[in-house]
């Protein structure tokens, strides 16, 4: 998929999202919490006990099964050591993709809605390439649709097509929907299973402001990663002289800004940075990885740069 293709249309096309499949064959997800990816689609969860695969030898701790003491290491070190095993279990990938009108905006290369779908498609194809079950939720300001994780191409295509359908319903940006993330996470908590890998893709500032209590519940038994999609114009005001802006998408009153003044540009930048810092604080307290990817950035290389894939 070329940058030119992205520039010629505001909307995502399924063929472009499918094309990512052929660029990620050598990639894999970077798993957290000591989970190790294998080509079979299974992962190793760190658990004490007699599992399927040997993990390590470590110093004996109270409560360890004495049957697994490693006598050779114990004799060599003069300290009691025990063998630790890990147990295989499946960990499906669940991708939550925002397609609200608030994201129907972009000043460079593509809209935020399109970038969110690019990121989701890449994560889905990589997971499927490693024989993992893939599913998720796509949502906008009117509804959310749950696609149960399955190990087949049709499920990924269905998830992407549903997201495209929601995207096609938009024609202009609107103010943030304060309920969209709340409703979606409530739905996710109903259908999510412990141990899933969940990727949240969209406006994490809105999620942090309105749905952080639900995020805390989700984190209790799920490996969560958050990807914030932004546009450069949200961060920095360009030096273009006097600009007419509205305070919000719904406001008709124009505000005049002199973008040549450094104080004006600094104040504009600080407003975004304050919101972004608050968002980082929320995710940091929940120990949830949070990265940001711009609409102008190449999606695959951005995921590699942030070490979400390798």
């Amino acid at each position: 998929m070329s940058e030119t293709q992205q520039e010629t249309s505001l909307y995502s096309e399924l063929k472009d999202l499918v094309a990512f499949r052929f660029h990620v064959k050598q990639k894999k997800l970077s798993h957290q919490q000591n989970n190790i990816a294998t080509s079979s689609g299974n992962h190793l969860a760190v658990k004490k006990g007699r599992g399927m695969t040997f993990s390590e030898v470590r110093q004996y701790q109270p409560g360890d099964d004495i049957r697994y003491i490693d006598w050779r290491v114990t004799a060599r070190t003069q300290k009691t050591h025990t063998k630790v095993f890990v147990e295989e279990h499946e960990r499906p990938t669940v991708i939550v993709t925002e397609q609200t009108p608030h994201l129907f905006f972009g000043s460079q290369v593509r809209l935020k809605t399109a970038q969110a779908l690019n990121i989701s498609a890449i994560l889905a194809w990589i997971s499927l390439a490693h024989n993992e079950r893939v599913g998720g939720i796509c949502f906008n300001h009117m509804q959310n649709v749950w696609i149960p994780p399955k190990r087949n191409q049709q499920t990924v295509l269905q998830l992407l097509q549903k997201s495209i359908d929601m995207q096609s319903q938009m024609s202009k940006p609107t103010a943030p929907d304060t309920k969209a993330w709340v409703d979606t996470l409530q739905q996710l908590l109903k259908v999510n299973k412990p141990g899933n890998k969940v990727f949240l893709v969209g406006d994490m500032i809105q999620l942090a402001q309105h749905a952080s209590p639900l995020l805390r519940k989700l984190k209790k038994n799920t490996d969560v990663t958050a990807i914030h999609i932004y546009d450069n114009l949200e961060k920095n005001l360009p030096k273009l002289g006097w600009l007419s802006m509205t305070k919000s998408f719904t406001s008709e009153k124009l505000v005049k800004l002199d973008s040549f003044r450094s104080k004006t540009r600094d104040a504009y930048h600080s407003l975004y940075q304050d919101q972004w810092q608050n968002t980082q604080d929320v995710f940091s307290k929940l120990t949830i990885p949070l990265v940001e990817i711009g609409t102008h950035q190449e999606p695959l290389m951005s995921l590699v740069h942030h070490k979400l894939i390798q």
Side-chain angles (χ1 to χ4, degrees), residues 36-219:
I36 305 170
T38 67
S39 59
S40 65
N42 291 331
H43 300 275
L44 301 177
V46 178
K47 296 179 181 180
K48 291 191 295 182
R50 193 169 188 174
M52 296 179 64
T53 307
F54 170 77
S55 174
E56 62 177 335
V57 173
R58 60 160 169 76
Q59 197 164 339
Y60 180 87
Q61 297 175 2
D64 288 342
D65 195 325
I66 62 174
R67 292 177 297 174
Y68 305 126
I69 291 176
D70 190 320
W71 295 109
R72 294 179 63 181
V73 176
T74 298
R76 186 173 69 248
T77 62
Q78 296 300 302
K79 293 182 180 179
T80 306
H81 281 70
T82 183
K83 296 178 181 178
V84 177
F85 294 84
V86 290
E87 191 174 42
E88 277 194 355
H89 71 111
E90 204 177 25
R91 304 184 63 247
T93 299
V94 174
I95 303 168
V96 182
T97 309
E98 180 179 1
Q99 291 292 291
T100 67
H102 178 56
L103 266 63
F104 196 72
F105 168 79
S107 63
Q108 299 180 44
V109 184
R110 57 180 71 85
L111 301 188
K112 293 199 290 182
T113 48
Q115 188 70 312
L117 252 178
N118 290 342
I119 297 297
S120 297
I122 291 170
L123 295 172
W125 290 125
I126 291 177
S127 298
L128 189 64
H130 286 271
N131 202 31
E132 297 179 355
R133 288 192 288 143
V134 185
I137 295 180
C138 53
F139 71 98
N140 60 14
H141 56 303
M142 296 182 291
Q143 62 174 328
N144 58 65
V145 177
W146 164 247
I147 308 295
K150 293 182 181 178
R151 194 179 289 106
N152 58 56
Q153 178 179 318
Q154 288 72 25
T155 299
V156 174
L157 292 175
Q158 183 183 8
L159 181 62
L160 296 177
Q161 186 59 60
K162 288 290 185 181
S163 297
I164 289 175
D165 292 343
M166 290 186 179
Q167 187 186 100
S168 67
Q169 297 172 2
M170 294 179 280
S171 59
K172 62 180 181 180
T174 65
D177 189 315
T178 59
K179 286 193 61 190
W181 270 110
V182 172
D183 293 343
T184 299
L185 288 190
Q186 286 176 339
Q187 172 66 9
L188 181 59
L189 286 169
K190 293 177 182 177
V191 297
N192 184 58
K193 294 183 179 180
N196 284 349
K197 299 188 304 295
V198 173
F199 290 92
L200 307 174
V201 186
D203 188 346
M204 296 301 107
I205 291 178
Q206 295 304 312
L207 188 156
Q209 289 179 349
H210 304 292
S212 56
L214 295 169
L215 188 62
R216 186 175 295 106
K217 292 182 180 179
L218 180 66
K219 178 61 174 62

Side-chain angles (χ1 to χ4, degrees), residues 217-234:
K217 292 182 180 179
L218 180 66
K219 178 61 174 62
K220 287 182 178 179
N221 57 11
T222 303
D223 184 0
V224 183
T225 299
I227 302 172
H228 173 64
I229 307 299
Y230 75 94
D231 186 87
N232 265 340
L233 191 56
E234 296 173 304

